[in-house]
Amino acid sequence: MTKVLRLDGINRSFGDRPVLKEVTFDVTAGRLTGFVGANGAGKTTTMRIVLGVLAADSGAVTWQGSPLTREDRRRFGYMPEERGLYPKMTVREQLIYLGRLHGLTPEAVRRHAGDLLERLGLDERADEPLEKLSLGNQQRAQIAAALVHDPDVLVLDEPFSGLDPAAVDIVVAVLREHTARGVPVLFSSHQLDVVERLCDDLVIIADGTIRAVGRRDDLRVAHARPRHALVVDGDAGWLRDQPGVTLIDLDGPRAVFDLAAGADDQAVLQAALARGPVRSFGPVVPSLTEIFREVTR
Amino acid sequence: MNTTEAIRLVAAREVRVKLRDRTFLFSTLFFLLFAAASTVLPALLAGGPSSVAVADRSVAATLTDAGLKVRTVADDQAAEQLVRAGDVDAAVVGGPRVLAMDEAPGDVVRALSKEPDVRLLDPDAVNPVARFLVPFAFAMVFFFTSLTFGLQIAQSVTEEKQTRVVEILVATVPVRVLLAGKVIAAGLLAMVQIALIALVTVTAAQFAPAGSTVLPVLAPAIGWFIPFFVLGFVMLAALWAGVGALVNRQEDIAGASMPVQLLVMLPFFAIIFLNDNPTAMTVLSYLPISAPTAMPIRLFLGDAAPWEPILSLLILAASALATLAAGARVYEGSVLRTNGRTAIMAAWRNRETRLVQSVR
């Protein structure tokens, strides 16, 4: 059985307001799955249902093919949207406490907490109370708390918010170590550029429904329109009169245009070459932001 | 990992945090000093036996036998001089007559007089000082421990809610494990604190003559006090935990816990003011909120039949189970509601956590 965390037809309402409608997607072993959506789209509710902090009205969450049990969830790592650890306990103590609650032996948890603190650059502050740490370091401690028991599955709600770029790189490296060992990782973010750079798979949610699911690169191809960019030496305004071309953007020698169905991109290139040197020509791959706009429209 | 192990971990953390809390340590120290002082000081202030000056050798022998500090002098004038100079408390001169400055020295007078035979018709009756102090002590101990440790439970519940760490905890262990761990930790600390106070009081009592005679009478009452205390404590602790889960900020605990505070305070005052009214005490000794103090007091006074504490204990145990279930339900229903104060009925009806937690 492959290690897949599967959400199948999850529905959930608060009062008479439905917040999740038939939410279905997989988080596959060894892959970073980015969970993207606007504020209030249902990301946090979905994650809380996976962790058993909220109940689904209907639908099922399965792990390796069978419904989730409390014992399975104890082997999950969770970083909730609302951050929090004990302010007066030292970082190391809380890691050890949480690790033991997750079922680790005292020796294993001590060793693992030490490694993790070092890995996240927190070892020098490890024996200070959490409240004495800077916000960025508290955020790292929160990530350590989700990882301390070497979880089988990771569910992280906005793990990168509040981290400086250096810390983002450290955390990404740590997460990659987990996926390399076959751990499925689901993380949410509204920073689309971060998600675009990091994730292998994408889940896009809007108004409680899943709008797009799949490998990041497949999604890009699927949503690629026949859009091209051209850079020439002179003015590219002549493209306007080229058959089958819809000009999207023109800035002197630079142009972005869509091709009508059946129109030949090579014909456009030839036309450009006939007018002078061509510095660059090629299809434009849509960014995640564009895909997101398109599917959530 | 099984449930017991998880409860042990939660309780261990609570105890560790509390043992590092300066306020807790200082208040314990203060209680201990207070207990020691209130036992030892009266005896110290009362002073030792009187010193007495006397010329007559046979009288001197009598006084020495009575344990007084005797100074033999040449004649009655010299004896009187010593009293006037303040060198001795009293003098015995011819007659015999006792001389003292402003207060008749009772021990000297008793040494020289012949007391009539005394036959006590009710030899087990409690001595009046103990009759006053013991109910007061029981009421104080239960009042202060259930208030301070109850508040501690509420604060610890609210802290986890306020700092949001509770979401991680609930995703890891069942909510009831958290609740059980907190109640057990507070109960243990309370018992240890009371045991320390008792130890200090008993040790100090060795230095005070009156103390040692009360102890044998007190022992069975204390023996009963322990099960009553434990059940009464658990009953209130469950309510404190429920209250702590309803609020989001430490500042709101005082207001939200008012009903529970009244449940602690009313029995306390009832026992302080009504402990010499047997009818009132009989009623109080069966009411679950006052039974933990009222029944041991009645046992101490010898007013209760042997079956009475057992019946009262059963009633208390049933109420403790009921509040534990109710407190746990409110706790489960509100511990994850982090937006604003939760209404108690909303918490009661909220089946969310129970629903999720019942999934095994």
Side-chain angles (χ1 to χ4, degrees):
Chain A
M1 180 59 69
T2 50
K3 291 184 174 178
V4 176
L5 178 73
R6 172 163 296 163
L7 287 81
D8 197 359
I10 305 281
N11 286 288
R12 169 73 207 210
S13 311
F14 289 130
D16 45 13
R17 187 171 56 91
V19 284
L20 294 182
K21 287 166 270 185
E22 293 296 322
V23 166
T24 302
F25 64 87
D26 286 355
V27 187
T28 314
R31 298 181 69 84
L32 270 177
T33 301
F35 192 23
V36 184
N39 290 330
K43 302 190 293 288
T44 296
T45 306
T46 306
M47 290 182 150
R48 294 179 103 184
I49 287 173
V50 171
L51 264 295
V53 175
L54 272 181
D57 295 337
S58 63
V61 186
T62 58
W63 167 234
Q64 303 191 44
S66 38
L68 271 186
T69 64
R70 174 165 280 288
E71 274 317 302
D72 293 333
R73 287 195 171 110
R74 203 196 284 287
R75 298 289 311 138
F76 281 25
Y78 178 37
M79 180 166 174
E81 178 198 34
E82 297 195 88
R83 312 289 192 239
L85 293 169
Y86 294 101
K88 296 199 190 305
M89 275 174 98
T90 70
V91 178
R92 193 187 304 276
E93 273 180 323
Q94 13 212 348
L95 291 187
I96 290 173
Y97 175 58
L98 292 172
R100 301 240 25 224
L101 279 185
H102 280 289
L104 259 60
T105 63
E107 302 75 46
V109 77
R110 209 168 291 279
R111 184 161 30 82
H112 201 245
D115 291 350
L116 202 53
L117 287 166
E118 196 175 331
R119 192 78 183 74
L120 290 168
L122 272 176
D123 43 340
E124 282 175 23
R125 322 300 303 275
D127 296 306
E128 289 180 39
L130 184 87
E131 59 186 358
K132 296 264 167 69
L133 266 56
S134 70
L135 283 180
N137 279 338
Q138 291 192 15
Q139 180 83 346
R140 294 183 198 207
Q142 195 82 44
I143 290 167
L147 298 175
V148 66
H149 52 291
D150 226 342
D152 293 343
V153 178
L154 266 171
V155 178
L156 310 169
D157 205 346
E158 296 281 353
F160 302 110
S161 73
L163 287 183
D164 60 49
V168 169
D169 289 345
I170 294 176
V171 172
V172 168
V174 174
L175 294 185
R176 285 280 176 211
E177 285 167 21
H178 282 78
T179 53
R181 279 189 283 111
V183 172
V185 178
L186 177 69
F187 73 98
S188 73
S189 181
H190 59 263
Q191 293 158 281
L192 294 175
D193 53 326
V194 175
V195 179
E196 177 150 43
R197 189 156 56 86
L198 302 180
C199 70
D200 307 310
D201 294 340
L202 252 180
V203 178
I204 300 179
I205 187 170
D207 296 328
T209 52
I210 299 297
R211 299 296 176 88
V213 183
R215 292 173 173 255
R216 182 189 56 180
D217 299 334
D218 293 352
L219 279 178
R220 276 198 175 140
V221 172
H223 290 272
R225 265 158 290 148
R227 180 161 295 179
H228 289 71
L230 171 70
V231 182
V232 290
D233 272 0
D235 186 275
W238 54 268
L239 273 170
R240 233 177 253 121
D241 308 321
Q242 193 70 19
V245 165
T246 312
L247 202 52
I248 303 293
D249 188 35
L250 178 68
D251 179 17
R254 295 163 186 279
V256 177
F257 60 92
D258 283 350
L259 277 179
D264 183 9
D265 57 343
Q266 295 308 310
V268 180
L269 176 60
Q270 306 249 322
L273 282 168
R275 283 173 169 79
V278 171
R279 299 299 164 194
S280 114
F281 180 81
V284 177
V285 179
S287 70
L288 180 52
T289 314
E290 285 166 317
I291 299 175
F292 181 75
R293 282 211 194 97
E294 188 187 319
V295 300
T296 61
R297 199 157 34 211
Chain B
M1 187 175 57
N2 57 28
T3 309
T4 331
E5 174 71 0
I7 292 176
R8 203 186 58 73
L9 284 170
V10 173
R13 194 201 76 87
E14 297 284 331
V15 170
R16 234 190 344 264
V17 167
K18 205 64 191 161
L19 289 182
R20 259 182 294 174
D21 178 5
R22 290 230 172 81
T23 327
F24 173 73
L25 293 179
F26 278 122
S27 71
T28 307
L29 198 65
F30 172 78
F31 271 131
L32 293 181
L33 286 176
F34 184 78
S38 55
T39 328
V40 171
L41 274 187
L44 286 184
L45 290 178
S50 302
S51 52
V52 56
V54 64
D56 189 310
R57 292 205 176 255
S58 66
V59 174
T62 314
L63 294 172
T64 311
D65 289 348
L68 298 169
K69 282 186 246 160
V70 178
R71 268 176 77 171
T72 317
V73 290
D75 52 24
D76 289 354
Q77 265 95 40
E80 187 176 336
Q81 218 89 67
L82 283 178
V83 176
R84 288 187 186 280
D87 289 348
V88 293
D89 299 321
V92 180
V93 295
R97 170 179 293 162
V98 175
L99 301 180
M101 285 306 285
D102 50 10
E103 194 185 0
D107 47 356
V108 177
V109 175
R110 270 195 301 280
L112 297 174
S113 34
K114 184 173 167 14
E115 285 184 30
D117 266 352
V118 178
R119 186 166 65 96
L120 294 176
L121 295 174
D122 183 7
D124 287 341
V126 177
N127 101 20
V129 179
R131 168 74 189 77
F132 169 76
L133 278 181
V134 168
F136 193 70
F138 276 151
M140 284 286 270
V141 166
F142 188 69
F143 173 71
F144 272 113
T145 43
S146 51
L147 200 62
T148 52
F149 288 96
L151 210 54
Q152 176 206 317
I153 293 176
Q155 279 167 349
S156 152
V157 170
T158 310
E159 184 199 25
E160 286 176 354
K161 225 183 141 178
Q162 188 168 16
T163 60
R164 317 292 197 216
V165 71
V166 70
E167 192 161 335
I168 299 180
L169 299 176
V170 169
T172 314
V173 292
V175 170
R176 279 171 191 245
V177 164
L178 294 176
L179 182 65
K182 283 177 197 301
V183 171
I184 289 172
L188 272 179
L189 286 169
M191 292 300 283
V192 168
Q193 197 180 51
I194 293 174
L196 273 178
I197 291 175
L199 189 72
V200 165
T201 313
V202 169
T203 314
Q206 305 305 317
F207 298 99
S212 48
T213 59
V214 179
L215 280 180
V217 194
L218 201 50
I222 291 182
W224 275 109
F225 184 54
I226 293 169
F228 273 99
F229 176 88
V230 170
L231 287 175
F233 186 89
V234 168
M235 176 180 74
L236 290 167
L239 298 180
W240 283 106
V243 163
L246 288 178
V247 299
N248 264 338
R249 301 179 303 157
Q250 300 284 347
E251 302 91 292
D252 297 337
I253 293 178
S257 67
M258 197 45 95
V260 187
Q261 289 182 42
L262 282 179
L263 282 184
V264 179
M265 247 179 283
L266 290 179
F268 172 71
F269 287 114
I271 282 160
I272 295 296
F273 293 116
L274 298 174
N275 72 66
D276 48 3
N277 177 337
T279 320
M281 284 301 281
T282 308
V283 175
L284 288 174
S285 68
Y286 286 101
L287 277 181
I289 51 165
S290 50
T293 22
M295 188 51 89
I297 292 172
R298 287 187 63 214
L299 287 161
F300 168 68
L301 299 176
D303 293 347
W307 55 268
E308 286 195 85
I310 297 165
L311 176 62
S312 169
L313 207 55
L314 287 176
I315 297 175
L316 181 60
S319 346
L321 282 179
T323 55
L324 208 54
R329 180 165 176 170
V330 170
Y331 180 76
E332 284 180 338
S334 53
V335 76
L336 284 173
R337 296 190 160 206
T338 46
N339 38 355
R341 184 168 156 187
T342 312
I344 188 157
M345 283 322 290
W348 183 262
R349 281 193 301 261
N350 180 11
R351 296 175 56 248
E352 182 92 60
T353 317
R354 264 192 309 288
L355 243 168
V356 187
Q357 303 260 319
S358 64
V359 177
R360 292 286 138 183

